[in-house]
Amino acid sequence: PPPGLSLLPFRPPPGLPHPTALPSPAPSAPAAADSSSQRVEWCIHHVFSKLKTSAGFALVSPPLQVGEIPDVRLHFAPGEAWAQSMRSRKGKKTEAKVEHGAASGPMKGSLRLKIGDCGDAMPLKFNLFVGGVRQGPFECNFAERTVQEFQLDVDWRKHVEKKSESLCLRLEVLSE
């Protein structure tokens, strides 16, 4: 800090826990059916509320270790189908553009994987599970780009747990 200015201790906003009190997500144990795979799960609790708050922008996971790659963040983007369902009747012109193919993004949403500052970016092969539905296998090479995007083939809204409004996204890393 500048001379004469002292830093106050960090205090979270009212109603939120201190970041050090939050549990850090960790990959689960290797799958029993296939010992060569690892699973990482990100459950987005109250997904609809969070998307409304973010105005439809991507939700970002805490840092995760995916396979051998540390500091991976998942970015979940809801897609144009969700955006259409949230627009008011005042947005008829925008809705018409989307219906006629002028959509700016994937209809059913997407998942982006972004790695942090990692010197040796290894290729990654994985299956993506949206709720209980498997997509993939997908392959990405972080040496080419640090952000890789994968469009969802399923309507994620149909896989939200009704009671908790949670959407669980799981990556099952496949070894070569």
Side-chain angles (χ1 to χ4, degrees):
L5 182 65
S6 62
L7 292 178
L8 298 173
F10 175 76
R11 288 187 13 220
L16 293 177
H18 196 280
T20 57
L22 295 173
S24 61
S28 61
D34 182 5
S35 62
S36 65
S37 69
Q38 274 189 321
R39 293 181 187 178
V40 176
E41 188 170 72
W42 176 36
C43 285
I44 308 168
H45 301 290
H46 306 289
V47 66
F48 294 115
S49 300
K50 288 181 179 178
L51 286 170
K52 285 178 191 172
T53 302
S54 75
F57 285 97
L59 301 178
V60 182
S61 76
L64 303 166
Q65 175 149 349
V66 179
E68 299 292 319
I69 304 171
D71 195 22
V72 176
R73 292 184 189 262
L74 307 180
H75 294 226
F76 169 69
E80 285 298 316
W82 179 83
Q84 282 181 18
S85 71
M86 296 309 297
R87 289 192 181 103
S88 67
R89 288 288 118 204
K90 292 178 184 177
K92 286 181 182 175
K93 288 181 183 177
T94 309
E95 286 179 19
K97 283 182 186 177
V98 171
E99 288 172 7
H100 289 90
S104 61
M107 283 301 289
K108 296 179 181 173
S110 66
L111 185 72
R112 280 176 256 158
L113 277 70
K114 180 178 181 180
I115 62 168
D117 190 21
C118 182
D120 292 333
M122 304 170 59
L124 183 67
K125 187 173 182 179
F126 65 94
N127 287 319
L128 168 64
F129 290 82
V130 179
V133 178
R134 181 180 74 104
Q135 290 186 217
F138 296 109
E139 289 188 56
C140 54
N141 185 352
F142 291 111
E144 295 171 2
R145 288 190 315 249
T146 58
V147 179
Q148 305 277 325
E149 183 171 16
F150 305 93
Q151 294 189 12
L152 302 180
D153 293 333
V154 297
D155 187 348
W156 61 268
R157 297 173 295 176
K158 295 178 180 170
H159 300 281
V160 173
E161 185 183 296
K162 291 188 184 353
K163 188 175 181 180
S164 66
E165 285 191 5
S166 296
L167 175 65
C168 288
L169 302 172
R170 187 173 82 236
L171 299 182
E172 187 174 285
V173 179
L174 307 170
S175 56
E176 295 294 321

